[in-house]
Structure formats: C-alpha cells, structure tokens
Amino acid sequence: MKRPFKHLHKRNTDKHDFFDALFDDLVVFILSKLSSTASSPSQFINILSTCKRLNRLGLHRMVLSKAGPKVFSVKAKNWSEHVHRFFKLCVNAGNLDACYTLGMIRFYCLKNRASGLSLMAKAAMKSHAQALYSLAVIQFNGSGGTKQEKDLRAGVALCARASLLGHIDALRELGHCLQDGYGVKQNVSEGRRLLVKANALELAFVIRAVTSASPSRSLSTSSVLTWRAVDYTVCPLLSDYGYNVAVPVVQPVNWLMREWFETGPGRVEMVEGLRLCAHIGCGRPETRAHEFRRCSVCGKVNYCSRGCQALDWKLRHKMECSPEELVVPDNDGGAGGGDVLGNDDVV
C-alpha cells in the first residue's frame, strides 16, 4: 500500500496538499466508483486529465474493469486509434462491456470478423446477455459468411441462454422460433407463452423506468417519443397496451454503428447495395447482399431479427406498412432476394 506523501520543508508544513497524503488504494477505489457511474466518456476522461496521479491511477486495472457501458458510448466521428487503445486496455482488464462493444465494432465496422467474434464470445461466456443475443443474431443470419453457414440451432441455444438472463428481445426471438419451428421443434403453445411473457417483461421494464424517473407521472399522460438523429415522431412503444411511454435505452454501440454506416466511413458500403436493419435503434449492417429478411407485406424494410422487427413495428412501421408488389433481384440464391418476415404474428 503506497503512501506518496512527501516530507516538505518545515516552513511549508502548513501548506501541504492533503490529496497527496491519500493512499493509492483509496484513490483507486474512488476512481472505480466514478468509472462505473460515469454518464459519458468525457466525464471519465475529464477526471483522468486533472493531474498526473489521477491519470496514472485512472488506468489501473481495477478502475478499467469497473467502467460502465456509458464510458464506451463513443460517436463514430470520434473513433480513433487512441480510443481503440483505450478499449483494448479495458478488455485486458476484464471489462465485459468493453469486450462486447469492441467485439461489435470489430465485427461489423472494422470487418475483423474473427477478432470480433472472439471478443463477443469472451463476454458471452461470462453471461453478458447482450453479447449472447448478438451472437445469436449472427448465427441466425450467417453474418460474415455465406447463406449456407447459418446455424439455426446455435442461434436458438444462444437466445435461450440470453432469455434466462432477462433479455427481452432474445425471449421474443425464442418465442417466434418455437412458434414457427425455426431451428427447433415446433411448439406453438410454448412459443405464444414466451411471446406473452416478453410483452409482460417489456411492460414491467418501461413502467419501472417511468416511475423511477418521475414517481408522480401518470402512465396515461400523453407523451411523444422522438428518437435521436430522427426528424420524425413515432408512435409509443407500448401502444398495443394503450400507454404512451418511452422506449428502453439503446446500447451505445448500436448508435455508433448506425452513425458509422450512415454518415461515417461505412457509408460507401451502403451505396454498394448493403442495407442497415430498419429498426432505428439497431445499427447492424448486412455483411453480404440480401442477408436480412424483409417485410412480407410491403417489402420495403429489412430486419436482422424478429426482435428488431417487433420493436420497429410498434414504434413506426405499422403506420407506414402497405401492400405493394416488389421484385427484388436474387443475388444470394434465395427466392426474392432473401427471406421474408410476416407482420400478422408480430407480438
């Protein structure tokens, strides 16, 4: 336990800095608390830039391992080698959010598929629900490979594990798989039960978020939901239940990916024919032509998963969807340029 208090000259003993007298272990403990509760990357960086000692101790393994997900909410335009290096330091410290976030960035944005999968798997093995679900989406779509490399059974298994950890989209995806016999033996009744459970969890999550933010607020109060970076208003998430409440917080890495492919370095790929998942809070891009499934009614939108389709249907698409004849060139060996998703069974 290091105590870096320096003995000063006798004439300056009444002017010494008490911060210098604090044990390093105590400062590291305080910084760990700050990193876990930081509301943005800049809040954490500002602490590190205060003085040399805080900069040194702020990069301590314990501090980096405790860093919360908001520390990694980097914008696409701010991505650099220095940011990449900081993420790697957090990964080496055992931070699961850093493993998941950097894994997604490497897999989708930097196209380092093997490294990205490895990092997401590292987080998934430690029961990181979002990493488990993201790996399931990759298995369902065969992302990073060919259409023949889809592994539906692996996707179902990953969704089942993520759903046990309370991941709502994974639970909904698992319900649809059971209902449709997709990657698992068909069980309509059990699938419907899981879909109802997913909706119940979604409702409980949002009610808890609303009441904790404003205990006096009534759920019947009319509110308008506006997504960041979107210039139109959308219907409330739980409109099926008659409530006007906010949606769950989107993972920072999903915002980064959408910015990366809409206005950042990845926009060239979108021009070349690849598409983003239509759900505004997802940001996953196709890794090959016609990888995502399209809406069976209008054929205008594409989704990486049932979870994104169900959420986007409640938020926006059910107001826009209308039957239309659409012929899509087949570039991937599938009829109509990819699979289709029906809206009649969206729950």
Side-chain angles (χ1 to χ4, degrees):
M1 187 180 296
K2 184 178 179 182
R3 186 175 183 176
F5 177 73
K6 297 180 180 180
H7 295 288
L8 303 176
H9 295 292
K10 183 179 287 187
R11 62 180 178 179
N12 292 329
T13 53
D14 58 336
K15 296 181 181 180
H16 69 268
D17 189 345
F18 287 102
F19 174 69
D20 290 336
L22 292 176
F23 291 110
D24 278 4
D25 289 352
L26 179 58
V27 177
V28 167
F29 176 78
I30 295 172
L31 288 174
S32 298
K33 291 292 185 180
L34 290 172
S35 68
S36 64
T37 58
S39 60
S40 65
S42 59
Q43 189 178 53
F44 182 62
I45 296 300
N46 287 339
I47 296 172
L48 300 186
S49 60
T50 304
C51 66
K52 290 183 178 180
R53 187 184 181 200
L54 285 179
N55 184 275
R56 174 174 59 84
L57 296 179
L59 297 178
H60 190 278
R61 185 180 181 87
M62 179 182 292
V63 177
L64 297 180
S65 67
K66 299 291 184 180
K70 292 184 179 180
V71 172
F72 307 113
S73 57
V74 181
K75 294 182 180 295
K77 64 180 180 180
N78 295 332
W79 182 260
S80 65
E81 187 56 38
H82 295 291
V83 177
H84 198 170
R85 191 178 305 119
F86 173 74
F87 272 64
K88 288 191 285 187
L89 288 173
C90 294
V91 167
N92 294 334
N95 189 299
L96 298 184
D97 288 317
C99 289
Y100 165 67
T101 304
L102 185 56
M104 291 283 283
I105 293 171
R106 285 185 176 177
F107 185 85
Y108 287 108
C109 301
L110 305 181
K111 296 183 180 56
N112 191 339
R113 313 291 190 198
S115 177
L117 283 174
S118 177
L119 287 173
M120 282 188 276
K122 183 178 179 180
M125 286 189 291
K126 296 293 182 65
S127 299
H128 191 283
Q130 193 66 36
L132 285 164
Y133 179 63
S134 294
L135 288 173
V137 172
I138 290 173
Q139 295 295 338
F140 281 132
N141 294 320
S143 300
T146 64
K147 189 174 182 179
Q148 288 69 36
E149 292 182 68
K150 294 181 180 180
D151 192 338
L152 304 185
R153 294 183 65 181
V156 170
L158 289 164
C159 272
R161 190 173 169 191
S163 66
L164 292 175
L165 297 171
H167 196 283
I168 297 174
D169 287 341
L171 184 62
R172 181 177 287 113
E173 194 83 24
L174 183 61
H176 281 294
C177 287
L178 285 167
Q179 185 176 253
D180 302 337
Y182 191 71
V184 67
K185 185 177 180 181
Q186 188 174 28
N187 189 333
V188 177
S189 60
E190 179 65 11
R192 296 295 295 180
R193 186 187 72 81
L194 293 182
L195 291 174
V196 172
K197 182 179 178 181
N199 279 336
L201 288 174
E202 181 181 74
L203 177 60
F205 176 87
V206 178
I207 290 176
R208 186 165 57 248
V210 170
T211 54
S212 62
S214 179
S216 61
R217 179 180 176 181
S218 171
L219 285 177
S220 61
T221 302
S222 177
S223 62
V224 179
L225 169 66
T226 305
W227 282 87
R228 191 179 80 184
V230 182
D231 58 0
Y232 52 80
T233 57
V234 293
C235 64
L237 171 62
L238 294 177
S239 57
D240 291 353
Y241 301 102
Y243 295 126
N244 294 322
V245 291
V247 296
V249 177
V250 178
Q251 291 288 325
V253 68
N254 295 101
W255 285 126
L256 182 145
M257 290 195 302
R258 182 161 289 279
E259 291 172 355
W260 184 282
F261 291 103
E262 285 186 341
T263 60
R267 65 183 180 277
V268 176
E269 300 168 33
M270 300 297 103
V271 174
E272 294 174 353
L274 298 181
R275 301 163 296 187
L276 286 176
C277 177
H279 172 38
I280 193 66
C282 176
R284 289 182 178 85
E286 290 182 318
T287 60
R288 64 175 186 278
H290 306 301
E291 176 183 334
F292 293 162
R293 292 170 288 180
R294 57 189 171 86
C295 175
S296 61
V297 178
C298 66
K300 296 178 181 178
V301 294
N302 305 272
Y303 299 103
C304 68
S305 65
R306 284 281 196 177
C308 282
Q309 183 210 14
L311 193 55
D312 191 57
W313 176 255
K314 294 177 181 180
L315 287 171
R316 176 178 60 93
H317 189 53
K318 70 179 178 181
M319 297 188 299
E320 304 172 350
C321 188
S322 59
E324 179 176 320
E325 291 218 8
L326 183 68
V327 179
V328 181
D330 182 4
N331 294 329
D332 195 31
D339 300 324
V340 295
L341 285 167
N343 292 325
D344 55 340
D345 59 346
V346 174
V347 178

